[in-house]
């Protein structure tokens, strides 16, 4: 079996498919391509790719529906690549289970960086039962023991602060929407109370970041949500 990461690209633009096949193959990725949602779902089931690049505008079904169907049985990272650049389009795709969202036209270097993040996230998730400690620079977050250290010193967090940090850290590298975070950390009934989230993220940044105004780990995705980053 090849050690090259396997990327599945689902897009109905043949130029995009050809370009990505060439670019990714040159970077030592194995590449499969599909021009419809149905074909993409079949290839995902048969080939079990390491990451999926998904367009939202497909000829037979909406990409959001493809994402939802994939999430019924696989945790494979999904990077949406779409001309739709509205906040609501991004939120809808991310709430459907996408890990990241990149708009067309896109930069190759940025796409490759997003793929690397997605693959690292998948590898971390595969070890989730074995590894309960997340490390990000000077931060050490023990998800099982419920403690956080910064540069060796324990950081005192409230129960809600830790629950929020643990959820973000457990999904390191993935963009999480405001609604998704609120539903998991608080309650589905609080999914519209974005002000709760902003207050607690601000508190966490004061306790964890060297410069809360220029955060290194707790990053904002404007209008969409947050992403927790570990070191490259």
């Amino acid at each position: 079996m090849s050690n090259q990461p396997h990327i599945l690209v689902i897009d109905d633009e043949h130029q995009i498919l050809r370009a990505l096949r060439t670019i990714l193959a040159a970077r030592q990725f194995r590449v499969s391509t599909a021009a419809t949602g149905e074909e993409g779902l079949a290839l995902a089931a048969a080939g079990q790719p390491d990451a999926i690049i998904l367009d939202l505008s497909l000829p037979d079904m909406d990409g959001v529906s493809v994402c939802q169907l994939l999430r019924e049985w696989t945790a494979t990272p999904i990077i949406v690549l779409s001309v739709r650049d509205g906040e609501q389009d991004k939120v809808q795709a991310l709430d459907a289970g996408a890990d990241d969202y990149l708009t067309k036209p896109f930069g190759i270097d940025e796409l490759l960086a997003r793929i690397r993040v997605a693959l690292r996230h998948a590898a971390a998730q595969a070890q989730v039962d074995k590894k309960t400690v997340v490390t990000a620079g000077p931060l050490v977050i023990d998800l099982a023991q419920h403690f956080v250290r910064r540069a060796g010193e324990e950081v005192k967090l409230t129960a809600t602060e830790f629950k929020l940090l643990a959820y973000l850290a457990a999904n390191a590298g993935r963009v999480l929407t405001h609604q998704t975070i609120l539903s998991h950390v608080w309650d589905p009934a609080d999914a519209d109370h974005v002000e709760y989230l902003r207050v607690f993220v601000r508190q966490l940044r004061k306790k964890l970041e060297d410069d809360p105004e220029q955060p290194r780990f707790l990053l904002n995705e404007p209008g969409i949500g947050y992403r927790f980053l570990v070191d490259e």
Side-chain angles (χ1 to χ4, degrees):
M1 181 179 294
S2 172
N3 290 324
Q4 295 175 314
H6 178 199
I7 309 297
L8 170 61
V9 184
I10 307 174
D11 197 306
D12 67 336
E13 293 185 55
H14 294 294
Q15 288 182 328
I16 292 286
L17 292 180
R18 285 197 300 269
L20 288 181
R21 181 185 289 278
T22 300
I23 291 164
L24 294 175
R27 269 74 173 186
Q28 305 304 308
F29 290 106
R30 289 190 297 126
V31 185
S32 298
T33 60
T36 67
E38 185 176 350
E39 183 185 7
L41 290 167
L43 286 177
Q48 298 190 357
D50 296 297
I52 297 170
I53 297 173
L54 173 66
D55 185 22
L56 294 184
S57 300
L58 298 170
D60 58 337
M61 65 177 73
D62 190 80
V64 171
S65 298
V66 175
C67 193
Q68 291 171 330
L69 290 169
L70 286 167
R71 281 293 171 254
E72 291 180 1
W73 60 273
T74 181
T76 299
I78 300 171
I79 301 171
V80 168
L81 195 62
S82 176
V83 295
R84 302 182 197 173
D85 60 358
E87 284 183 5
Q88 204 50 45
D89 292 313
K90 296 177 182 179
V91 168
Q92 188 179 23
L94 293 164
D95 277 342
D99 293 79
D100 210 342
Y101 196 111
L102 196 59
T103 54
K104 298 176 182 177
F106 57 92
I108 295 303
D109 288 340
E110 182 175 7
L111 175 61
L112 291 170
R114 301 289 183 99
I115 291 172
R116 290 193 296 270
V117 168
L119 293 174
R120 284 199 300 273
H121 176 237
Q125 288 297 105
Q127 298 296 320
V128 71
D129 291 333
K130 301 176 183 177
K131 181 181 178 183
T132 60
V133 177
V134 177
T135 302
L139 303 180
V140 177
I141 305 161
D142 192 314
L143 303 176
Q145 297 299 318
H146 286 224
F147 72 77
V148 179
R149 290 196 177 97
R150 181 174 180 266
E153 297 292 327
E154 185 173 356
V155 179
K156 297 294 185 182
L157 300 180
T158 67
T160 302
E161 286 172 347
F162 183 83
K163 189 175 181 182
L164 171 58
L165 178 63
Y167 182 61
L168 292 169
N171 289 278
R174 182 179 179 187
V175 179
L176 299 173
T177 66
H178 297 128
Q179 289 76 15
T180 296
I181 299 169
L182 285 161
S183 295
H184 279 80
V185 177
W186 281 270
D187 185 89
D190 295 316
D192 293 327
H193 294 170
V194 179
E195 67 274 12
Y196 291 177
L197 187 52
R198 291 186 181 129
V199 168
F200 278 90
V201 168
R202 188 159 56 244
Q203 291 172 185
L204 282 174
R205 283 173 172 165
K206 288 179 180 178
K207 294 182 178 183
L208 302 176
E209 300 278 5
D210 290 333
D211 182 356
E213 300 302 319
Q214 298 290 331
R216 175 181 169 189
F217 307 111
L218 289 163
L219 302 188
N220 183 39
E221 297 286 337
I224 298 170
Y226 295 92
R227 183 201 307 256
F228 184 85
L229 281 190
V230 296
D231 289 339
E232 292 293 318

